[in-house]
Amino acid sequence: MSSSLKLLGEIRQSSERRPFEVLKLAEPLLNKGSITQAGDEVWLVYEQVFLAAVDEGQIDVAKAVLEILHKRFGEESQRVKRLYGLVSEATGHPEDAKKLYDDMLEKDATNVLANKRLIALLKSQGQYVQAIQELVSYLDTHGNDFEAWLELTHLYLDQHLYPQAAFCIEEVILQQPANHYFHLCYAEISYTTGNLDVALKEYLRVVELSTDNVRGFYGVKLTADRILDITSSRGSGKSKAPSHLKVENAPQKAMLERLSQLATERLLAIYSGSSDAMKKTLEEWLKL
């Protein structure tokens, strides 16, 4: 097997697209016919080249590769049909693509490839409500697809539906508990919806998993200080904080003050090598 085919295989295994590099590696293989050296993986290579060509807007190359796949697998191949849908999308015929995906789903409602392309198409056309409906229906069957839950989280956030987004990101965390980004997303949603005690817990989880995470430490500092202000004003009977803010399960005052101080120290340490202007901005924000 040639070095180009080995590199293409490594790109596939890493789940990266890298379309420009893929086409550069594949061009001599296609011209010389040596792509067949890939053996049983030759059809995966063709599909990889097709996707790269679509990404790069080289539709003629994509159509030529698609014709090869069509001859090999026939018009009834669901995988090949999806590729025809991608060509329709890329050439500005979204209605043709949608009809194709709808037909595929009519024959098999559990077709994952068609489901995801239909959702992506609806999203690209700005039909967010329909995309949400399709994604909710998809998750009824494929509840273990954490990427779909994450996509639904972002769609709800785009529509400012924060409680629904919080529910979805919780599902993501159940399946991917060690990913600090998902905890950060949950923390920020919780802060936005006024669940400050949950937000603080999640920000702390972020900095536990990613020890120099700036957004995480900013969140700890911001949330701890906010809870201190609310509990202090409520205790004095002069609270102006909205009643929906939830702080009941937050740590005691001494712990909150310590967390705020520790976050401040970590932020100063992280930015210690930055420019004077950056340090000044940070100190102003920290009110030092």
Side-chain angles (χ1 to χ4, degrees), residues 130-247:
Q130 294 90 330
I132 288 172
Q133 291 172 346
E134 289 291 338
L135 197 44
V136 168
S137 178
Y138 169 81
L139 284 167
D140 284 341
T141 308
H142 304 88
N144 290 329
D145 189 341
F146 83 89
E147 291 180 339
W149 282 112
L150 186 61
E151 179 65 24
L152 187 55
T153 300
H154 293 311
L155 282 171
Y156 278 134
L157 288 175
D158 288 340
Q159 301 303 302
H160 308 292
L161 298 171
Y162 298 110
Q164 292 88 334
F167 175 84
C168 293
I169 199 65
E170 286 172 358
E171 292 291 331
V172 174
I173 290 173
L174 283 173
Q175 298 181 43
Q176 299 286 320
N179 189 314
H180 74 274
Y181 168 76
F182 301 146
H183 288 278
L184 180 62
C185 183
Y186 188 29
E188 292 175 342
I189 293 172
S190 298
Y191 188 91
T192 302
T193 56
N195 294 320
L196 300 183
D197 43 7
V198 174
L200 180 60
K201 183 183 74 172
E202 289 301 313
Y203 279 126
L204 290 170
R205 184 64 173 151
V206 171
V207 298
E208 178 186 4
L209 294 169
S210 179
T211 54
D212 283 332
N213 191 288
V214 172
R215 284 170 67 182
F217 281 114
Y218 270 125
V220 172
K221 170 72 175 173
L222 185 66
T223 310
D225 287 350
R226 185 78 188 280
I227 294 173
L228 282 169
D229 288 342
I230 291 171
T231 53
S232 176
S233 59
R234 285 181 179 177
S236 64
K238 299 179 180 180
S239 176
K240 296 181 180 179
S243 59
H244 75 277
L245 296 178
K246 298 179 181 178
V247 298

Side-chain angles (χ1 to χ4, degrees), residues 2-9 11-12 17-36 38 42 44-53 56 58 61-62 65 68:
S2 70
S3 59
S4 294
L5 285 172
K6 288 180 180 178
L7 285 173
L8 287 171
I11 293 173
R12 282 199 311 279
R17 296 283 274 260
R18 290 157 60 180
F20 178 80
E21 186 177 348
V22 167
L23 290 177
K24 186 176 180 181
L25 291 168
E27 184 177 4
L29 298 174
L30 292 170
N31 292 337
K32 296 177 182 178
S34 53
I35 195 171
T36 56
V42 64
L44 293 176
V45 177
Y46 274 126
E47 184 179 43
Q48 183 182 18
V49 174
F50 169 88
L51 294 172
E56 288 292 310
Q58 297 190 27
V61 175
V65 173
I68 295 172

